[in-house]
């Protein structure tokens, strides 16, 4: 399908916003990490792509840093100064990476962004402790910001962290169950991914001096976008190009994860869904041909199309929340561009 000029402009807006956010947030993020004990600094800096396992500087993929950008844009969208929201952006990025360090250990993932995961280089215990250190540091960054809304912001962040942990707990529990319902999986994803994106927008609004109702609208925008993002991420976990995702093809199927398209397919009541269940719940490891067959069955059972439609519908509702917040035009355009970028990756 040909790319329209509007889509090209939207993508350009999104990347410009991400680049501007990184320039504003990176110095403060590095300053925060510098406060960690030396061993924790080494692990965190390796995970963030700043240096190798010996502490030698490298140039590595550091991710898009979407969440900090959403904090700064949300502050601007309510008429505030994005620079005042930098501590909130740093806190959200620290929490996000706390979750990634822990997730990699729990999921047994050996690569992230085309590099070894931290636990494979330093051990699972040290990687978990590094994640714990980031979580503590995030709260301290907010509390020490001196912003009038700092106390409220800490509570907003901690509420999101509890949701995130609950979502991850449910995700792990699903591994031992055959009867996961679609609504359960959606709640899990909303907690695991939507809560922190919603928190990012809410914190930006708070630090930007939002009017009554704007915080709630922007939080809802982020939460819906987060769930849409998870649908897309789950699709990429099956059909994504390893060159883009940094993970092996069929990575989520290989570990028999109960992702959104998989759970939809398993609950479809279709012959393809039944054959998928027979494969997924067998005691034998899934070979290369089994993985390809499982991916095909997810698609035939409707899971792939369902997740794509859900992502599109959630994006539409998220953008409705954004408009209802009556935002400043330019940052609203950039938030919309970011939303499209997150939900229209190659899948």
């Amino acid at each position: 399908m040909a790319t329209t000029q509007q889509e090209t402009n939207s993508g350009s807006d999104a990347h410009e916003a991400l680049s501007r956010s990184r320039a504003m947030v990176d110095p403060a993020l590095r300053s925060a990490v510098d406060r960690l004990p030396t061993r924790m600094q080494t692990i965190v800096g390796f995970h963030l792509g700043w240096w190798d396992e010996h502490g030698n500087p490298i140039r590595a993929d550091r991710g898009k840093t979407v969440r900090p950008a959403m904090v700064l844009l949300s502050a601007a969208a309510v008429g505030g100064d994005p620079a005042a929201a930098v501590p909130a952006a740093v806190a959200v990025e620290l929490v996000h990476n706390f979750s990634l360090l822990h997730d990699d250990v729990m999921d047994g993932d050996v690569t992230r962004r085309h590099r070894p995961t931290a636990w494979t280089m330093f051990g699972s215990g040290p990687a978990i402790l590094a994640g714990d250190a980031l979580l503590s540091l995030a709260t301290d960054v907010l509390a020490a910001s001196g912003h009038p809304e700092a106390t409220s912001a800490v509570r907003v962040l901690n509420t999101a962290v509890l949701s995130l942990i609950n979502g991850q707990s449910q995700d792990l529990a699903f591994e031992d169950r055959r009867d996961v319902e679609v609504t359960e999986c959606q709640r899990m994803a909303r907690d695991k991914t939507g809560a922190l994106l919603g928190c990012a927008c809410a914190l930006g609004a708070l630090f930007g001096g939002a009017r009554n109702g704007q915080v709630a609208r922007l939080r809802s925008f982020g939460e819906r976008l987060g769930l849409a993002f998870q649908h897309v991420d789950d699709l990429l976990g099956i059909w994504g190009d390893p060159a883009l995702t940094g993970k092996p093809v069929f990575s989520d199927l290989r570990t028999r994860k109960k992702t959104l398209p998989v759970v939809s397919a398993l609950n479809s009541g279709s012959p393809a869904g039944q054959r998928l269940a027979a494969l997924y719940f067998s005691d034998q490891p899934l070979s290369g041909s089994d993985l390809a067959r499982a991916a095909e069955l997810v698609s035939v059972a409707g899971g792939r199309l369902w997740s794509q439609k859900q992502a599109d519908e959630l994006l539409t509702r998220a953008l409705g929340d954004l408009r209802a917040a009556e935002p400043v035009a330019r940052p609203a355009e950039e938030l919309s561009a970011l939303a499209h970028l997150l939900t229209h990756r190659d899948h």
Side-chain angles (χ1 to χ4, degrees), residues 138-163:
T139 302
D140 189 64
V141 166
L142 278 183
S145 69
H147 194 279
E149 295 290 348
T151 300
S152 297
V154 169
R155 297 189 67 183
V156 169
L157 184 70
N158 285 342
T159 298
V161 170
L162 288 174
S163 293

Side-chain angles (χ1 to χ4, degrees), residues 85-326:
V86 166
V90 170
V92 168
E93 185 66 2
L94 291 171
V95 166
H96 175 54
N97 283 282
F98 140 76
S99 72
L100 296 183
L101 282 163
H102 283 202
D103 283 0
D104 286 343
V105 173
M106 288 183 278
D107 294 342
D109 288 337
V110 298
T111 59
R112 177 173 292 281
R113 298 176 190 140
H114 312 284
R115 298 176 65 231
T117 46
W119 74 269
T120 65
M121 301 300 295
F122 302 97
S124 57
I128 291 170
L129 290 173
D132 293 342
L134 291 185
L135 181 58
S136 177
L137 185 60
T139 302
D140 189 64
V141 166
L142 278 183
S145 69
H147 194 279
E149 295 290 348
T151 300
S152 297
V154 169
R155 297 189 67 183
V156 169
L157 184 70
N158 285 342
T159 298
V161 170
L162 288 174
S163 293
L164 188 158
I165 291 171
N166 184 59
Q168 178 65 9
S169 175
Q170 290 301 307
D171 195 18
L172 290 173
F174 289 171
E175 292 179 6
D176 299 321
R177 289 178 49 192
R178 297 189 175 201
D179 59 343
V180 178
E181 299 291 335
V182 171
T183 53
E184 287 182 286
C185 197
Q186 289 173 311
R187 282 196 300 270
M188 176 275 291
R190 187 174 293 110
D191 282 348
K192 184 177 176 181
T193 306
L196 190 57
L197 277 173
C199 171
C201 295
L203 289 183
L206 280 173
F207 272 64
R211 304 189 307 273
N212 289 340
Q214 286 184 304
V215 174
R217 287 293 190 181
L218 285 168
R219 188 204 310 270
S220 182
F221 162 71
E223 288 174 346
R224 293 188 200 277
L225 178 59
L227 183 52
F229 172 84
Q230 190 61 58
H231 274 283
V232 174
D233 208 52
D234 286 354
L235 290 166
L236 291 172
I238 300 175
W239 293 283
D241 180 353
L244 299 176
T245 65
K247 293 185 177 183
V249 67
F250 304 140
S251 59
D252 284 352
L253 297 179
R254 195 180 305 274
T255 55
R256 292 181 166 91
K257 285 182 69 70
K258 307 294 195 312
T259 61
L260 287 157
V262 168
V263 170
S264 173
L266 290 171
N267 283 276
S268 66
S270 66
Q274 293 168 0
R275 291 195 294 272
L276 176 65
L279 260 182
Y280 233 58
F281 301 132
S282 69
D283 295 329
Q284 301 301 315
L286 297 179
S287 67
S289 60
D290 291 332
L291 292 169
R293 178 62 174 154
E296 179 186 8
L297 290 170
V298 173
S299 186
V300 172
R304 186 176 191 173
L305 182 59
W306 175 78
S307 262
Q308 290 170 337
K309 287 184 174 180
Q310 286 289 304
D312 290 342
E313 290 174 7
L314 285 160
L315 173 61
T316 297
R317 295 171 69 185
L319 294 176
D321 285 324
L322 178 60
R323 288 191 296 272
E326 299 180 344

